[in-house]
Amino acid sequence: MVQVGDVSIGSGKPKICASITETDRKSIIAAADILLQKRIDIIEWRIDCYREVSQWDMVRETLQRLKMSLYGRPLLVTFRTKEEGGKQAIDTAAYRELLENIACSGMVNMIDVEIFKDLKYEDLIGDRETETAEYFEELKNWINKLREKVVVVGSYHNFERTPDDSELKGRLQIIDESGADIPKMAVMPADRMDVMRLMMFTLQMAEQVDKPLITMSMSRIGSISRIAGEAFGSTVTFGSIGQESAPGQLPVNKLEEMLDMVHQNYQ
């Protein structure tokens, strides 16, 4: 279990997270006001959608306004890179500097870190070459510094396919090894069997990894994975209040009702 403010991730029902994907400050604050009227546990600011993301002063001011608007609701900040389905590309130095500034601001509870940014999975399995091993150690040290300030969600997104079980396990082990507090994996299914594979994989890993896991199968056929997390071991689910931030998200009101129905069978 990971405690984030008043929210216990990994305990009870999967926690509902909804994303703010607006592009300007006024719209961001307005979206936060709407979210506060919903039964949402965590609010995610998808900062890659923000037009002024390259200007730290603007980011800091918007963070201040956003934090004031949330009245203590946990805030997760995510820069989803274009390579993993986000709105913008960003080089590693700028990516790290931005996340470090956000972590040190004191206005954020959680930060998403893309574990495989600039690291190829094929280079990380088996015997790692010296350059890869050194880079991964540097990544681990960087994540550890972030963890002194915030909870780190170590993420992997694949908008093209659902890797086979061996690769899923290998990637999860690497995310765990990175030191991230909460491993997250979101993948695209080709069919219903891919959805079931991911859910069974999560059930097995939830018994082996001593951390809360977040997994989801994207698209409409993967929607069941956003509802049944309590049954197979996924601890956070992402919903929408309008525009989806990822394929297959459900409206938060419907999501809440369905999570309650599932939870009744586990009491």
Side-chain angles (χ1 to χ4, degrees):
M1 184 179 72
V2 172
Q3 191 71 30
V4 183
D6 295 331
V7 177
S8 300
I9 300 174
S11 173
K13 289 189 300 181
K15 304 306 181 284
I16 297 176
C17 181
S19 302
I20 296 174
T21 58
E22 278 64 26
T23 61
D24 63 274
R25 182 184 301 169
K26 183 178 179 180
S27 300
I28 289 166
I29 303 306
D33 291 340
I34 294 172
L35 288 175
L36 286 176
Q37 301 171 29
K38 312 291 184 180
R39 287 180 58 186
I40 294 168
D41 301 291
I42 303 165
I43 293 176
E44 178 187 41
W45 181 19
R46 276 285 303 275
I47 199 169
D48 56 295
C49 300
Y50 183 40
R51 285 198 302 250
E52 312 295 342
V53 68
S54 62
Q55 301 179 47
W56 170 241
D57 288 346
M58 297 290 288
V59 172
R60 181 177 55 202
E61 290 177 16
T62 304
L63 268 178
Q64 290 172 340
R65 289 284 306 279
L66 186 56
K67 189 65 175 177
M68 289 172 58
S69 299
L70 297 184
Y71 297 101
R73 198 78 61 95
L75 177 61
L76 163 66
V77 173
T78 298
F79 189 109
R80 182 67 59 235
T81 66
K82 198 164 187 177
E83 292 78 9
E84 293 208 13
K87 299 298 184 182
Q88 300 187 46
I90 187 171
D91 64 53
T92 299
Y95 178 77
R96 290 195 178 188
E97 181 180 8
L98 176 63
L99 295 191
E100 287 172 11
N101 286 339
I102 292 170
C104 293
S105 71
M107 293 180 283
V108 172
N109 306 92
M110 308 168 69
I111 284 180
D112 180 292
V113 173
E114 293 181 359
I115 300 302
F116 297 96
K117 179 175 173 52
D118 302 320
L119 282 171
K120 293 183 178 179
Y121 170 70
E122 294 77 14
D123 294 336
L124 286 165
I125 58 177
D127 295 329
R128 298 171 187 166
E129 295 182 1
T130 301
E131 185 176 350
T132 299
E134 289 177 352
Y135 189 92
F136 189 61
E137 285 301 313
E138 180 187 8
L139 174 67
K140 289 165 61 176
N141 291 335
W142 180 64
I143 288 175
N144 190 51
K145 290 180 180 178
L146 292 179
R147 291 182 62 238
E148 295 175 0
K149 305 291 184 180
V150 294
V151 170
V152 173
V153 177
S155 67
Y156 165 67
H157 296 72
N158 192 322
F159 279 73
E160 297 180 355
R161 64 186 178 92
T162 299
D164 61 35
D165 289 0
S166 174
E167 182 176 338
L168 286 173
K169 185 174 182 179
R171 287 187 181 273
L172 182 60
Q173 289 174 337
I174 290 166
I175 296 173
D176 185 25
E177 186 183 345
S178 76
D181 299 287
I182 303 173
K184 176 190 177 190
M185 303 179 75
V187 293
M188 184 65 71
D191 49 36
R192 288 177 292 179
M193 185 58 68
D194 276 349
V195 179
M196 295 304 299
R197 278 202 304 112
L198 180 74
M199 294 169 69
M200 287 301 299
F201 165 78
T202 307
L203 180 62
Q204 295 169 359
M205 291 299 101
E207 298 176 354
Q208 299 179 27
V209 178
D210 190 25
K211 294 178 180 179
L213 304 181
I214 303 173
T215 67
M216 64 205 72
S217 186
M218 295 185 282
S219 84
R220 294 302 172 193
I221 63 172
S223 294
I224 184 64
S225 69
R226 299 180 182 274
I227 300 165
E230 190 169 4
F232 65 88
S234 182
T235 62
V236 176
T237 187
F238 288 72
S240 66
I241 58 167
Q243 181 180 356
E244 300 175 347
S245 62
Q249 284 184 355
L250 300 168
V252 292
N253 290 342
K254 295 294 184 182
L255 188 57
E256 179 191 349
E257 293 175 9
M258 289 182 278
L259 290 176
D260 284 340
M261 290 176 61
V262 173
H263 183 62
Q264 290 174 6
N265 294 321
Y266 287 85
Q267 291 181 310

